[in-house]
Each structure stands twice: as C-alpha cells, then as structure tokens.
Amino acid sequence: MDSQTNRQKVTQTFPQAQWIRLIITYLLIPLVLLVCGWDLGWWQAWVYALLIVAAGVGGRILGERRHPGLTAERQNTKSVQKAKAWDKVLAPLMALSISFPIMIVAGLDHRFGWSPVFPLWLIVLGIFLTALGYTISAWAFIENRFFSSVVRIQKERGHVVCDSGPYRIVRHPGYAGNILPLPGIVLALGSMWTVIPAVVALIIAILRTALEDRTLQEELPGYREYSHRVRYRLFPGIY
C-alpha cells in the first residue's frame, strides 16, 4: 500500500474536521503557556511547544496509519459513555491536570519571577525528561490498537492484551509517558511553583493506573497472565 493510499485511509477513518480540532487542542496548550508567560523570547516555552505538538499530533498520525480508526474511536462519544463510572471523572481530570494548570502556573511564574533562575543543566535535564516521556507515550499509542481515551473493555473490537513494544517493559507505558514530563516541565520551564499542580496530576495518574490495572485483571482475558510476565505498572523496579 503506497503512501497516498495510506493518507486517504487516514482521512476516511478520521474526518478532517476532527484532525483540525485535535491540532488546535495541542496548539492551545503551549499557547496558554506563552500568553501567561508574556515573553516571545522564552526559548524553553518554544522547545516545549515543539515537543508536545510533535508528540501529540505526530503520534496520532503514526498511530492512525498503523491502526486506522483508532483516533476516531478515542473521540467516539458512545465509547466514552461505556467507560467505567469512576473513569468518567478521572479521565477528564487527568487530561486537564497534565496540561493547562501546569502551563498557567509555569507561565505566570516566568512572567512575575516567582522562582529563582534554574541552572542550564537542570533545564536541559527537564527537556530530556519531557521529550522521553512524550516519546514513550506516543510509542504506546502507536503500538496499542486498543489505546482508548477511557477505561473500558472493547469487546466489539476484539479487545486483547497488547504485550509488544513498550508494553514488554511496563504494563501502562502511556501513563508512564505522561508522568515523566511532570518533573521535566518543572525543570525545563524553571518553575518551582509548578511542583504543586504537577503533584496533583501525579496523584490522579497513579490512581487511574491502579484502577485501570485492576479492571483489566478482572475483565480482560489473558491480562492476569500478562501481569505475571510484566511485573511493573509504570516504572521498572519501582511501581
């Protein structure tokens, strides 16, 4: 199948209007950061903008090419309605907590100088952690054709355990990829006050990971055996 056919298939499974909304969403996050920071010369903010747009939009494009219909399924309102009751609360909370509150605090911190200036090596370390996390998250999305936006067993799609790619290392690499950028953003954007919303986001992510893992062990055939092979949920040797 040539690249042109691939592009046509992606367009058919995920309408152009939805792609536009997706791109706007990923552009809005760094835009909020830059507006709150009120400094077009803030190079760390531009690096962060590049990372999140590249991982968010690029990861969706690659995932859609490999598993046509995956992105549309994630935005299907009927699928959201089938989510576990607790995840109808935690899913939007997690999506919100890992983005806008952190951007607002980091931007205002930069604008008003609440935090001391971070040394360059800490900023570079933060950029590395952020890039690594977003790469892992995108890889998990590309690898898992059942990477839903909500926790549910996708029986109508023949839901099976994904145990390839990053899933050979930890059971929830998508969450791990969202957690790593939390300390990364604190360092990369040089904002001590960003620790507060980052910790809140971390708590929500860990809680959701635990509840999803329990659901999969109880309801997804083969997952309990998979959990014996891959022991850790988020980080090898830690959790």
Side-chain angles (χ1 to χ4, degrees), residues 19-206:
W19 278 115
I20 293 173
R21 286 197 293 271
L22 179 68
I23 292 170
I24 290 175
T25 299
Y26 277 102
L27 289 175
L28 187 60
I29 295 172
L31 178 61
V32 168
L33 175 64
L34 285 164
V35 169
C36 290
W38 208 249
D39 179 8
L40 291 178
W42 189 14
W43 66 270
Q44 296 103 304
W46 288 106
V47 171
Y48 174 77
L50 177 63
L51 290 177
I52 191 169
V53 172
V57 179
R60 294 299 186 277
I61 291 174
L62 293 175
E64 189 67 25
R65 286 186 179 277
R66 183 167 183 180
H67 307 297
L70 174 59
T71 309
E73 195 281 333
R74 284 173 57 83
Q75 296 194 15
N76 189 332
T77 55
K78 292 182 180 180
S79 297
V80 174
Q81 291 170 359
K82 297 176 183 177
K84 295 295 180 180
W86 50 264
D87 201 46
K88 291 179 182 179
V89 176
L90 286 182
L93 270 182
M94 181 174 171
L96 178 65
S97 67
I98 62 176
S99 54
F100 293 110
I102 295 175
M103 296 298 101
I104 292 171
V105 174
L108 292 176
D109 192 344
H110 175 78
R111 183 175 183 178
F112 297 109
W114 295 335
S115 295
V117 177
F118 282 31
L120 181 61
W121 71 270
L122 276 181
I123 294 173
V124 172
L125 175 60
I127 292 172
F128 171 76
L129 288 174
T130 303
L132 178 61
Y134 287 156
T135 299
I136 293 172
S137 181
W139 185 17
F141 182 87
I142 294 167
E143 193 69 30
N144 187 359
R145 64 190 178 97
F146 303 105
F147 199 109
S148 178
S149 58
V150 294
V151 177
R152 71 183 189 91
I153 305 301
Q154 303 170 48
K155 295 179 180 179
E156 77 284 357
R157 300 181 67 229
H159 197 167
V160 295
V161 175
C162 178
D163 59 359
S164 58
Y167 292 88
R168 293 175 297 182
I169 305 170
V170 292
R171 303 204 295 268
H172 300 278
Y175 290 142
N178 281 314
I179 289 173
L180 273 177
L182 295 176
I185 291 170
V186 172
L187 298 176
L189 300 180
S191 173
M192 293 177 60
W193 287 99
T194 310
V195 169
I196 297 173
V199 168
V200 173
L202 175 63
I203 292 171
I204 293 172
I206 291 177

